Amino acid sequence: LQYDAQPGKKGLYVFTQVGFASHQAPYSRMFDLSGTAYAPYFFRNNFLTVRPNAFAAHYFAHLCLYYRPPLPLWELSWSQPRAFLQVNAMIGGLHGQDEKGCAMVDNIPLQAPFKGLIEPASGFDGLLRWGLMDIGVGVAYQICPHSAPYSYQDPSDNIIITMVANLILDKIY
């Protein structure tokens, strides 16, 4: 199930997903909960600090709240920046997982975010307008229980700095 809406049209976006697959489901029918860590770009509704292929799950829940004010901080022909704030949260599990949230599915070792994970992100888009592109910058930080086996020991590993690029179509007539 998925819900994606902008309630009230005041700059707040809500995105949520929940999913369930039976314990007999092959890997190809399970949920991939990976993110885009170490990619240079910001993707809304995505975990920026989670590595690709990091997590899989038979059941999960994901919530994303994204806020961007309707008006820019200033308006110049080459710069119309807007601050944004995004908070992502997920939790998931595997049927038959061990105490580390791991299980073998189709002879593939998998891990689920069974203790949860929260990722606040913030930044500015529209710092520089170049043709039909708005370019900005974002930063995200991963928060999870220290007891989670997928918790990074070095706090500097929890932070990601990304580039924000938006295609602006309102200038095309």
Side-chain angles (χ1 to χ4, degrees):
L1 298 171
Q2 178 174 301
Y3 175 78
D4 188 4
Q6 184 183 7
K9 307 292 184 195
K10 300 284 187 199
L12 176 67
Y13 300 84
V14 178
F15 176 82
T16 187
Q17 288 181 319
V18 294
F20 176 83
S22 72
H23 68 279
Q24 297 104 343
Y27 176 68
S28 63
R29 301 286 192 262
M30 293 174 56
F31 300 101
D32 179 358
L33 302 180
S34 62
T36 60
Y38 310 112
Y41 304 109
F42 180 94
F43 293 95
R44 191 183 329 168
N45 302 337
N46 202 338
F47 287 86
L48 307 171
T49 60
V50 176
R51 296 178 331 276
N53 302 315
F55 298 122
H58 284 107
Y59 49 92
F60 79 99
H62 171 200
L63 172 67
C64 177
L65 301 173
Y66 179 90
Y67 176 75
R68 185 177 83 165
L71 298 174
L73 297 171
W74 61 79
E75 289 192 56
L76 302 172
S77 61
W78 54 273
S79 179
Q80 298 176 8
R82 293 187 199 184
F84 67 84
L85 176 63
Q86 174 174 286
V87 178
N88 267 311
M90 78 166 142
I91 192 163
L94 295 163
H95 295 297
Q97 70 188 23
D98 62 17
E99 68 279 351
K100 293 184 179 181
C102 298
M104 293 290 284
V105 176
D106 295 342
N107 293 320
I108 302 170
L110 301 175
Q111 184 174 38
F114 71 108
K115 291 196 174 193
L117 189 142
I118 297 173
E119 181 189 85
S122 185
F124 294 92
D125 61 8
L127 286 173
L128 177 62
R129 179 161 283 188
W130 182 41
L132 297 176
M133 294 292 291
D134 268 356
I135 300 171
V137 65
V139 62
Y141 191 80
Q142 184 179 120
I143 302 168
C144 63
H146 290 294
S147 62
Y150 48 86
S151 173
Y152 295 119
Q153 299 305 312
D154 184 355
S156 66
D157 291 337
N158 292 335
I159 195 165
I160 294 288
I161 298 172
T162 63
M163 182 176 101
V164 179
N166 291 313
L167 181 62
I168 306 301
L169 298 176
D170 65 348
K171 297 296 179 186
I172 297 176
Y173 299 98

